[in-house]
Amino acid sequence: MRLDLSEFQPKSMFACAGDKSGTVKYPVIDIHTHLSIRAKSVNGVGVGEKMEFLATPESVLPRDDPQEFKIMVN
C-alpha cells in the first residue's frame, strides 16, 4: 500500500512531565545547523571555498532569554 507524502500526518508521541516554571533546567545546544552553504555546487555537492550565508546567527537565535540557548554549531 502506497502512502502519498501529502497524506502523511504523523502524530507526536513525545510526552514528558514538564515544569511550568517558565525557566529552563538545561540550556539548548544546537549541534547541527546550516546557516551557510557552498556558493557553487556540482550534482548537489558543494565545491569551492566561496560560501553563501542563508541567515545570520542573530536572526535565528532566540531573543527572549539568552540563557536558554548556549551554543550553535554551523
Side-chain angles (χ1 to χ4, degrees), residues 3-12:
L3 176 64
D4 190 73
L5 189 56
S6 65
E7 298 172 20
F8 182 61
Q9 300 293 325
K11 301 255 188 290
S12 176

Side-chain angles (χ1 to χ4, degrees), residues 4-27:
D4 190 73
L5 189 56
S6 65
E7 298 172 20
F8 182 61
Q9 300 293 325
K11 301 255 188 290
S12 176
M13 296 186 301
F14 179 75
C16 65
D19 177 346
K20 304 294 184 194
S21 68
T23 61
V24 297
K25 186 172 184 178
Y26 302 105

Side-chain angles (χ1 to χ4, degrees), residues 18-37:
D19 177 346
K20 304 294 184 194
S21 68
T23 61
V24 297
K25 186 172 184 178
Y26 302 105
V28 173
I29 299 175
D30 184 347
I31 61 166
H32 192 119
T33 304
H34 293 275
L35 299 179
S36 60
I37 59 173

Side-chain angles (χ1 to χ4, degrees), residues 42-59:
V42 175
N43 295 326
V45 178
V47 294
E49 293 185 26
K50 188 173 181 184
M51 300 296 290
E52 182 177 317
F53 295 91
L54 306 174
T56 63
E58 297 80 16
S59 69

